[in-house]
């Protein structure tokens, strides 16, 4: 029983160690490189949400291109 308790402690310690590395990496990625957004409504029809359907589309927003001023004609830009 004592050995199983020590093994559980080892796994919990490894989980928290990975957690405290993964969270800052994920937050930095979502802030600097790309994030996922949901597009709803008729504002982007017919490109997104075609046919007036009620379902929403999911898009990947590329922060990297905007930071490097690599936006071209025809690109979709999202503002908050």
């Amino acid at each position: 029983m004592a050995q199983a308790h020590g093994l559980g402690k080892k796994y919990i310690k490894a989980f928290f160690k990975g957690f405290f590395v993964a969270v800052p990496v994920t937050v930095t990625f979502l802030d600097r490189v790309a994030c996922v957004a949901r597009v709803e409504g008729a504002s982007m029809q017919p490109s997104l949400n075609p046919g007036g359907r009620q379902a929403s589309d999911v898009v990947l927003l590329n922060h990297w291109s905007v930071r490097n001023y690599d936006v071209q004609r025809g690109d979709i830009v999202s503002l908050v």
Side-chain angles (χ1 to χ4, degrees):
M1 183 71 176
Q3 189 178 22
H5 187 266
L7 190 61
K9 224 178 198 183
K10 181 179 175 182
Y11 284 125
I12 291 172
K13 185 177 179 181
F15 171 78
F16 281 114
K17 188 185 250 185
F19 180 78
F20 287 121
V21 170
V23 169
V25 169
T26 303
V27 169
T28 302
F29 179 82
L30 292 175
D31 185 46
R32 300 290 180 187
V33 179
C35 69
V36 177
R38 194 170 69 191
V39 179
E40 297 175 327
S43 64
M44 291 300 296
Q45 286 179 351
S47 297
L48 299 172
N49 295 334
R53 58 188 168 98
Q54 295 298 322
S56 61
D57 285 342
V58 177
V59 294
L60 180 68
L61 302 176
N62 184 354
H63 294 265
W64 197 258
S65 293
V66 174
R67 290 186 191 278
N68 294 331
Y69 301 104
D70 191 25
V71 180
Q72 300 171 357
R73 185 179 184 142
D75 289 349
I76 297 173
V77 178
S78 173
L79 301 174
V80 178

